[in-house]
Amino acid sequence: GQQVMQIPQYQHVQEGEDFTTYCNSSTTLSNIQWYKQRPGGHPVFLIQLVKSGEVKKQKRLTFQFGEAKKNSSLHITATQTTDVGTYFCAGYGAGSYQLTFGKGTKLSVIP
Amino acid sequence: DTGVSQNPRHKITKRGQNVTFRCDPISEHNRLYWYRQTLGQGPEFLTYFQNEAQLEKSRLLSDRFSAERPKGSFSTLEIQRTEQGDSAMYLCASSSGQGNAADTQYFGPGTRLTVL
């Protein structure tokens, strides 16, 4: 079945440093979604990418979808303590309603 | 609060007992999903409803698990003869169902199950 892998599993950064998490799928995705889960919370939708090579920005967050629609990345510029949490990528396979999540990257920001 | 709600928020049960969880999706959302999440893992898809019809089930879903959405609104997830390995957070999500499969899913706060 479809597998979604994320690296790194953990990332500790000093406040103000940049952060990037990478996501790779074993199969071509129809789209990719990114979620953020705060400690003790539930996943919250951040963004969806659909087109090959698509890049979207949300303030300090930049999301990219690979040309082959099998990989994606999330980059945070100048991290803040409010960025703490686990970032998950998730993808739908073609014609499926099953959203497959990666294991997530847990971000810690040291003030 | 117009978000997805789940009850109970916590459930502690003894091995072998049956448990049932409830999910109330966002009003007028016709798609509803159940996931299971264990520590250090991403949410794992369990099943999906379009209105009252259960259209997809994970192949990993044991026969002890059953879900219903009888009137196309709230849903229940029942686990029979619970095992310690069932201990996890059970998340429900809903989406509007407009357009293609890939619409935004809104997650509830989850029900944390502990099986002793």
Side-chain angles (χ1 to χ4, degrees):
Chain A
Q2 179 179 308
Q3 291 185 332
V4 176
M5 293 145 286
Q6 265 185 273
I7 56 169
Q9 190 173 358
Y10 302 96
Q11 186 78 56
H12 305 276
V13 299
Q14 202 76 33
E15 188 173 16
E17 291 182 340
D18 293 354
F19 158 76
T20 304
T21 173
Y22 301 91
C23 179
N24 285 283
S25 171
S26 58
T27 59
T28 301
L29 300 170
S30 59
N31 67 83
I32 196 151
Q33 300 183 0
W34 285 90
Y35 290 79
K36 177 183 179 181
Q37 187 171 23
R38 294 182 185 274
H42 56 273
V44 174
F45 175 82
L46 293 176
I47 208 161
Q48 174 176 280
L49 304 171
V50 179
K51 299 176 183 176
S52 170
E54 188 170 12
V55 178
K56 286 189 177 180
K57 292 191 175 185
Q58 286 181 350
K59 297 182 180 178
R60 295 178 294 105
L61 279 61
T62 302
F63 304 84
Q64 291 187 320
F65 199 11
E67 294 291 340
K69 300 184 75 172
K70 294 181 72 173
N71 61 288
S72 181
S73 65
L74 158 59
H75 180 82
I76 302 178
T77 304
T79 54
Q80 300 174 359
T81 54
T82 53
D83 296 326
V84 164
T86 302
Y87 292 85
F88 293 99
C89 63
Y92 286 101
S96 173
Y97 294 95
Q98 181 169 332
L99 192 59
T100 301
F101 281 78
K103 289 188 175 182
T105 296
K106 187 174 181 178
L107 173 63
S108 300
V109 179
I110 305 163
Chain B
D1 186 349
T2 57
V4 178
S5 61
Q6 293 187 244
N7 288 288
R9 295 291 305 274
H10 303 272
K11 179 70 177 178
I12 300 174
T13 191
K14 292 183 178 179
R15 188 177 53 183
Q17 297 293 307
N18 299 344
V19 294
T20 300
F21 311 140
R22 176 178 170 125
C23 171
D24 287 89
I26 293 172
S27 180
E28 298 181 357
H29 274 192
N30 59 29
R31 292 179 180 165
L32 187 147
Y33 312 79
W34 284 100
Y35 294 86
R36 175 172 59 194
Q37 186 176 27
T38 54
L39 198 62
Q41 303 293 318
E44 175 193 14
F45 172 84
L46 294 179
T47 190
Y48 155 70
F49 289 86
Q50 174 95 19
N51 299 311
E52 66 276 6
Q54 188 174 20
L55 297 185
E56 273 194 61
K57 281 176 64 173
S58 169
R59 284 173 289 176
L60 302 176
L61 200 60
S62 161
D63 290 344
R64 297 182 295 105
F65 287 70
S66 62
E68 294 182 340
R69 195 183 183 197
K71 297 182 180 178
S73 56
F74 73 91
S75 175
T76 58
L77 176 68
E78 181 184 17
I79 308 174
Q80 295 181 327
R81 304 180 303 281
T82 52
E83 302 172 356
Q84 288 184 327
D86 296 332
S87 295
M89 177 74 83
Y90 289 84
L91 293 163
C92 175
S94 71
S95 66
S96 63
Q98 295 177 2
N100 62 18
D103 53 352
T104 302
Q105 296 189 23
Y106 297 87
F107 282 81
T111 295
R112 181 167 296 283
L113 173 66
T114 302
V115 181
L116 302 176

